[in-house]
Amino acid sequence: AQSVSQHNHHVILSEAASLELGCNYSYGGTVNLFWYVQYPGQHLQLLLKYFSGDPLVKGIKGFEAEFIKSKFSFNLRKPSVQWSDTAEYFCAVNADGGAGSYQLTFGKGTKLSVIP
Amino acid sequence: DVKVTQSSRYLVKRTGEKVFLECVQDMDHENMFWYRQDPGLGLRLIYFSYDVKMKEKGDIPEGYSVSREKKERFSLILESASTNQTSMYLCASSDGRANVLTFGAGSRLTVL
């Protein structure tokens, strides 16, 4: 079974600081990787995804993530955060094909607070 | 845009009551999911369905059941609610195996 580990429970940054949220997964096969975001009072929504190809993927609102297969990692980055990035961020993984394809496994989430 | 609608945003129930949480999606998605979201635990999959009348257990199915009689509707049932089922319940749907999920707004259930 796959599992996802997010390193930080709560991150506090000042506006314009750079962001990196760690995500590691455990699964031996090919995976699809996702970052979802939940802004205060809003639905969970997709931030970005990786299925195959270029390991550096770009998402909405200036976010990007890099898939490093050898490290089983999919860290989320943003060069300069804004107050509006305050949200909870979830990393998720599912197996690409096979019995685990339907099950998207989420990490425990990282709360990001951006101070104006 | 895909819309996933959860019928109840807030519910308060008593221990032992039967609880129905309803979810409807309007984009003909094959797959539907029920998660619960708890602080510090993230999202945990309860059940999912990849076709009408089909259901599969997720990671925490105990104390729950589901029903999918029509493609657009996926219901979560708590046969006898308990206080440890107080949580936010999220419904989601997706098309195909890639599992890009579209979530509903959530149903916050409090069991007293």
Side-chain angles (χ1 to χ4, degrees), chain B:
Chain B
D1 282 351
V2 176
K3 191 171 179 181
V4 178
T5 304
Q6 295 183 231
S7 56
S8 303
R9 288 298 307 273
Y10 300 95
L11 302 94
V12 179
K13 298 291 182 181
R14 297 204 174 275
T15 302
E17 281 193 81
K18 190 169 185 176
V19 181
F20 291 88
L21 300 179
E22 304 287 339
C23 175
V24 177
Q25 51 95 2
D26 65 0
M27 285 298 290
D28 203 35
H29 279 179
E30 293 125 3
N31 308 320
M32 297 189 74
F33 306 81
W34 276 106
Y35 287 86
R36 64 176 282 177
Q37 181 179 13
D38 299 288
L41 297 179
L43 279 74
R44 293 177 291 167
L45 182 63
I46 305 171
Y47 268 95
F48 66 99
S49 168
Y50 54 86
D51 201 353
V52 176
K53 297 191 184 295
M54 304 300 290
K55 60 184 179 184
E56 294 286 342
K57 293 180 180 179
D59 298 318
I60 51 163
E62 296 79 17
Y64 303 95
S65 62
V66 290
S67 172
R68 193 166 181 200
E69 296 296 319
K70 294 184 178 180
K71 191 174 185 179
E72 67 271 19
R73 187 179 298 270
F74 192 36
S75 303
L76 180 69
I77 303 153
L78 288 68
E79 293 288 343
S80 177
S82 63
T83 54
N84 63 12
Q85 292 178 309
T86 291
S87 186
M88 172 69 85
Y89 290 88
L90 298 177
C91 178
S93 71
S94 75
D95 187 12
R97 285 179 168 244
N99 272 339
V100 176
L101 299 180
T102 299
F103 285 88
S107 297
R108 184 168 295 280
L109 171 67
T110 301
V111 183
L112 302 175

Side-chain angles (χ1 to χ4, degrees), chain A residues 27-50:
Chain A
Y27 183 72
T30 304
V31 294
N32 300 313
L33 296 157
F34 307 81
W35 277 97
Y36 282 82
V37 60
Q38 189 171 35
Y39 297 103
Q42 295 189 25
H43 301 196
L44 266 161
Q45 59 185 281
L46 181 70
L47 194 57
L48 49 77
K49 63 185 184 291
Y50 172 80

Side-chain angles (χ1 to χ4, degrees), chain A residues 60-75:
Chain A
I60 60 172
K61 304 188 179 184
F63 285 90
E64 64 179 31
E66 185 175 14
F67 170 48
I68 302 179
K69 189 175 181 179
S70 61
K71 295 185 178 180
F72 298 89
S73 70
F74 191 55
N75 292 352

